[in-house]
Amino acid sequence: MNRLSRETVLGNFATLGAAAARGAAAAFVTAAALGALVMPAWVTAAVAHDDPLYSVQLLREGGCGGILPAAAALQPNALLDRAAQQWAAGRTLAEATERSGYPAESASGLHTTGPESMIVQQLRRTSCVTIANRSLREIGIYRRGSDTWFVLAKNYAVPSSVQAPVLAARALELVNAARARGARCGERSFAPAPPVSLSDTLGGVALGHASDMAVHNYFEHEDLSGHTPADRVRAVGYPEKLVGENIAFGPRTAEEVVQGWLDSPGHCENIMDPRFAEMGIAYAPGHAKRGLYWVQLLAAPRV
C-alpha cells in the first residue's frame, strides 16, 4: 500500500491532507493442451529429464528452439515456490507474490495443464516471450496433479545512495514538467508555474526526516521530538518564508511517487504552488517493513 501525506506551513497556519494509492500488478497466464507432435531432440531431452524447471531452462537458454535470443538460466527461489503455490490456491499473482515475502519488481506467471511430457511443448507454443524475458531472473514452481504453476520474477533492489542524485534530478524534472503545463488538483485548477530548483540544504533536511521515519517506523510530518517541517528547515539555517512538505511510503521510483502526489489534491497543491522556488527530495528504505519513505520539501526563501 502506498501512503501519502502533505503539510504546508505559512506563519502559524498549517494544512494537512492525505491519500492512499494502490497499485496492482498484472499476471501473464497461459495454458494450452496440444496434440501429439513430432519432437525434435531438444524437446526429447526435456521430456527425458521429466523436470519442469529443466524444461524452462532449456527453452530459455536455447531461445525457445532458436526463435528468440538466448537468456541466462533462472535461479530457483523458495519464496517464489511459495508464491506459485499461493497463486495455484486462487490468489492473484500480485497477492501471491506479496504474501510469499518475495520483493518483486516485476513478475509473470505461467500455468500448464497436462502430462509432464507435454510441458515443454506447451511452454514453447504459448509462453516463449515470457520465458525468454531477460529482465526476469528467478523462478518458483508448484505442481499439483497434472497442473504446474511457474512464477518468474525480478527481485526489487533498493536504490543505493549513489543513485540518490539521479532520482532527485528525475523527480525535479517531473515536478517542473507538471508546473510548466498547469494542473487540476481536486477542485482547484492551477495555471502554469515557474520551475523550482534543487536545494542541497532542503535535500539534507528531507533525508533526515525520511531516515528518521524509516528507523523509528512512523509516518508523520511531525517527528518524534515534535518538530514540524518548518522547524527542521529553520534548524539548519534556511531562511524560509513558506515551507511545504509531501511524504509517501511505498513508491519505488521517482515516477511513481511524483505521480502519486499529483493524483492527490493536497499534495498536488503543494507541487503546483507558484510561491515555491526551491525543492529537496530524499528517500530511505524501511527497516520494520518493506518500502521506501519519501520526503519532498518545497520552500520559498526570504529575500
Side-chain angles (χ1 to χ4, degrees), residues 1 28 38 40-41 43 53 68 75 80 103 123 126 156 167 177 203 205 223 244 263 265 270 286 291 301:
M1 178 188 296
F28 175 37
V38 177
V43 176
L53 177 59
L68 292 170
Q75 298 300 312
L80 289 178
L123 292 176
T126 63
Y156 171 69
L167 293 181
V205 176
D223 62 30
D263 289 340
N270 267 353

Side-chain angles (χ1 to χ4, degrees), residues 170-203:
R170 177 59 178 155
L172 178 70
E173 180 183 8
L174 294 168
V175 165
N176 280 335
R179 287 171 68 91
R181 63 177 177 263
R184 185 168 182 83
C185 304
E187 298 300 318
R188 296 185 62 187
S189 292
F190 285 79
V196 293
S197 59
L198 277 181
S199 161
D200 290 339
T201 301
L202 293 177

Side-chain angles (χ1 to χ4, degrees), residues 202-243:
L202 293 177
V205 176
L207 178 59
H209 188 47
S211 299
D212 192 58
M213 288 193 293
V215 169
H216 295 103
N217 189 29
Y218 71 98
F219 184 72
E220 301 289 345
H221 293 287
E222 188 173 292
D223 62 30
L224 299 182
S225 299
H227 297 132
T228 67
D231 292 334
R232 293 189 289 272
V233 166
R234 294 187 195 110
V236 298
Y238 186 94
E240 99 293 343
K241 179 170 63 176
L242 175 69
V243 174

Side-chain angles (χ1 to χ4, degrees), residues 268-283:
C268 178
E269 290 179 16
N270 267 353
I271 288 175
M272 295 304 302
D273 193 323
R275 296 172 295 176
F276 290 130
E278 295 187 323
M279 178 186 108
I281 188 166
Y283 59 86

Side-chain angles (χ1 to χ4, degrees), residues 77-85 97 100 102 138-141 151 153:
N77 186 289
L79 294 179
L80 289 178
D81 290 341
R82 189 183 306 167
Q85 183 177 9
T97 305
S100 76
Y102 182 87
E138 297 181 299
I139 186 170
I141 299 173
V151 177

